[in-house]
Amino acid sequence: MNLPNKLTVFRMVLIFPFVILLLGGHEGWGWFTALFSGISGYTDYIALAIFVIASLTDLLDGKIARKYNLITNFGKFMDPLADKLLVCSAMICLTAMGRIPAWIVIIIIAREFVISGFRLIASDNGRVIAASWWGKFKTTFQMVMVILMIANIQALRFATDLVMWISLILTVVSLLDYLIKNKEVMQGTK
């Protein structure tokens, strides 16, 4: 359990307080109100800070792993999973809060399932499919979109919507990129 892997686990652990703080302030949970009454007006900001910290651990763990040659099988599997759990959890919460249309979240999550299945098939054929630049851009734009949507600043509404549409386009483009570049995986050839 090296430092990059600890950062990945830390990112996954941060999902729980993030979701509780983000949804708890909006869903009218009685226990939440009683427990967090002193910070009830600030839960979005605390959730936003947690999301930003979690997103930064994504940048940090990869850089550390590559720089110090600490790449492990655990990290290869858990790092992208932690990213997906963080971003998808955030988007599901934002859907419940009415800040992002459900159909966009469904497309984004469906893409993640397709790519995960695709990677499993490739793995069975002895092939590893690395993250593409399109996928990295997609993740970056999704994280920026989530940050803007949690912040919910009306003056940035146009920018928020623009980033949302770019995220959606990158989601589809990155999916097509994976499928086209690795079409032999589906044909059962290496």
Side-chain angles (χ1 to χ4, degrees):
M1 186 56 71
N2 59 34
L3 180 58
N5 291 342
K6 287 178 183 176
L7 288 169
T8 297
V9 171
F10 179 62
R11 182 163 65 256
M12 292 178 77
V13 169
L14 286 178
I15 294 169
F16 297 104
F18 166 73
V19 168
I20 289 169
L21 287 164
L22 189 59
L23 279 184
H26 295 273
E27 295 294 315
W29 298 338
W31 63 269
F32 179 88
T33 307
L35 195 59
F36 296 104
S37 61
I39 61 166
S40 63
Y42 303 100
T43 56
D44 279 10
Y45 301 114
I46 298 169
L48 178 59
I50 291 171
F51 185 85
V52 168
I53 290 166
S55 297
L56 291 174
T57 66
D58 179 35
L59 291 173
L60 198 56
D61 66 7
K63 286 186 186 237
I64 293 170
R66 284 185 296 277
K67 182 174 181 179
Y68 297 103
N69 197 25
L70 297 172
I71 298 168
T72 64
N73 287 334
F74 178 86
K76 286 179 190 176
F77 176 75
M78 293 305 290
D79 181 60
L81 180 61
D83 297 342
K84 289 173 181 151
L85 286 172
L86 176 66
V87 173
C88 290
S89 297
M91 287 189 291
I92 291 167
C93 291
L94 290 165
T95 300
M97 296 164 64
R99 294 187 188 173
I100 185 171
W103 67 271
I104 290 177
V105 175
I106 290 168
I107 290 171
I108 290 170
I109 292 175
R111 181 254 185 221
E112 300 305 336
F113 276 106
V114 169
I115 294 299
S116 294
F118 199 68
R119 282 190 166 134
L120 271 174
I121 293 169
S123 176
D124 283 347
N125 291 325
R127 186 170 172 178
V128 175
I129 298 177
S132 72
W133 284 107
W134 288 111
K136 290 177 183 182
F137 289 140
K138 174 222 36 125
T139 301
T140 301
F141 271 88
Q142 286 177 355
M143 288 181 172
V144 171
M145 174 188 73
V146 168
I147 289 167
L148 289 170
M149 287 182 173
I150 294 170
N152 199 28
I153 300 168
Q154 289 307 312
L156 297 177
R157 190 75 231 158
F158 177 78
T160 303
D161 289 345
L162 180 63
V163 171
M164 178 186 70
W165 288 109
I166 292 170
S167 295
L168 181 62
I169 291 166
L170 288 172
T171 295
V172 173
V173 168
S174 66
L175 173 64
L176 294 173
D177 180 60
Y178 276 110
L179 297 177
I180 291 167
K181 285 183 178 173
N182 301 286
K183 60 182 175 272
E184 67 276 0
V185 170
M186 292 305 287
Q187 297 165 346
T189 60
K190 296 179 185 178

